[in-house]
């Protein structure tokens, strides 16, 4: 399955990949060499930690390469007024909680629910994406749980690049 990512997602991944390959990896390799010289490797915590960091960086590099290689590039979303698209700031009212919230629907690699960045693949993201101001939408979490939200306003917005790529 291909991940649906925006051009900016790919650019941020390429930027991180370049940093990890060209700057971080040589530093980590040097740290492994340095800590190896401390002596007995079976009791050398610094060496084990340096190896762990190097391996973790290598794993992240492979992850980014695979994501870039397999990505399906999508458009940022609807530019139509009052229609929810990717990265638009959406004010929703939740009648069950009598609460209003501002969210942005983002790609799966940029999600951070605590900051209001909701994945387009989540039940909430799927429910509101493409809907209009004034629409009441049923968010189907699973077979036994659902709730209703009302879209109060849609403020057109672009991906400003501030949301980082998830670290897994």
């Amino acid at each position: 399955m291909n991940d649906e990512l925006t051009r900016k997602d790919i650019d941020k991944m390429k930027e991180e990949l370049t940093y990890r390959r060209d700057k971080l990896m040589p530093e980590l390799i040097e740290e492994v060499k340095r800590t190896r010289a401390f002596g007995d490797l079976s009791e050398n915590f610094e060496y084990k930690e340096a190896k762990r960091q190097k391996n973790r960086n290598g794993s992240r590099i492979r992850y980014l390469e695979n994501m870039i290689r397999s990505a399906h590039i999508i458009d940022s979303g609807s530019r139509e007024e009052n229609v929810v698209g990717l990265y638009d700031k959406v004010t929703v009212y939740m009648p069950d909680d009598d609460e209003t919230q501002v969210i942005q629907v983002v790609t799966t690699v940029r999600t951070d629910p605590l900051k209001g960045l909701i994945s387009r693949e989540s039940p909430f993201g799927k429910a509101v994406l493409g809907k209009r101001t004034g629409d009441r939408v049923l968010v189907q979490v699973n077979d036994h749980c659902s709730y209703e939200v009302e879209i109060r306003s849609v403020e057109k917005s672009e991906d400003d690049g501030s949301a980082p790529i998830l670290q897994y």
Side-chain angles (χ1 to χ4, degrees), residues 90-103 113 116 118 124-125 128 135-137 139 146-152:
V90 183
T91 304
V92 293
Y93 172 69
M94 298 174 192
D96 292 350
D97 300 331
D98 193 28
E99 186 177 291
T100 302
Q101 231 179 345
V102 177
I103 58 108
I118 307 298
F124 192 93
V128 300
D135 286 352
R136 288 183 75 91
V137 179
V139 178
S146 63
Y147 59 95
E148 203 169 74
V149 298
E150 180 184 324
I151 300 173
R152 292 271 170 100

Side-chain angles (χ1 to χ4, degrees), residues 92-162:
V92 293
Y93 172 69
M94 298 174 192
D96 292 350
D97 300 331
D98 193 28
E99 186 177 291
T100 302
Q101 231 179 345
V102 177
I103 58 108
Q104 282 183 292
V105 180
V106 298
T107 55
T108 56
V109 296
R110 307 282 284 286
T111 187
D112 187 348
L114 297 176
K115 293 182 180 175
L117 302 173
I118 307 298
S119 169
R120 68 189 299 275
E121 300 295 323
S122 71
F124 192 93
K126 286 178 182 177
V128 300
L129 201 59
K131 300 300 190 274
R132 298 182 170 281
T133 301
D135 286 352
R136 288 183 75 91
V137 179
L138 182 67
V139 178
Q140 188 73 41
V141 178
N142 59 37
D143 292 339
H144 309 289
C145 180
S146 63
Y147 59 95
E148 203 169 74
V149 298
E150 180 184 324
I151 300 173
R152 292 271 170 100
S153 68
V154 178
E155 178 187 328
K156 290 299 175 187
S157 186
E158 293 289 324
D159 178 8
D160 63 6
S162 64

Side-chain angles (χ1 to χ4, degrees), residues 38 56 67 72 95 143 149:
F38 290 174
R56 187 162 191 202
M67 289 293 286
H72 173 73
D143 292 339
V149 298

Side-chain angles (χ1 to χ4, degrees), residues 36-91:
R36 176 176 281 168
F38 290 174
D40 183 10
L41 297 183
S42 67
E43 295 180 14
N44 187 339
F45 174 77
E46 290 85 0
Y47 173 73
K48 289 178 183 176
E49 181 60 20
K51 289 266 305 182
R52 190 179 73 75
Q53 291 295 328
K54 179 185 156 293
N55 291 340
R56 187 162 191 202
N57 187 56
S59 176
R60 179 68 176 176
I61 288 171
R62 287 187 300 281
Y63 168 78
L64 291 169
E65 288 171 340
N66 288 334
M67 289 293 286
I68 292 167
R69 184 174 38 257
S70 67
H72 173 73
I73 297 176
I74 59 171
D75 186 30
S76 291
S78 173
R79 295 294 101 207
E80 194 176 334
E81 202 61 36
N82 296 323
V83 175
V84 179
L86 276 179
Y87 295 98
D88 293 342
K89 290 182 171 43
V90 183
T91 304

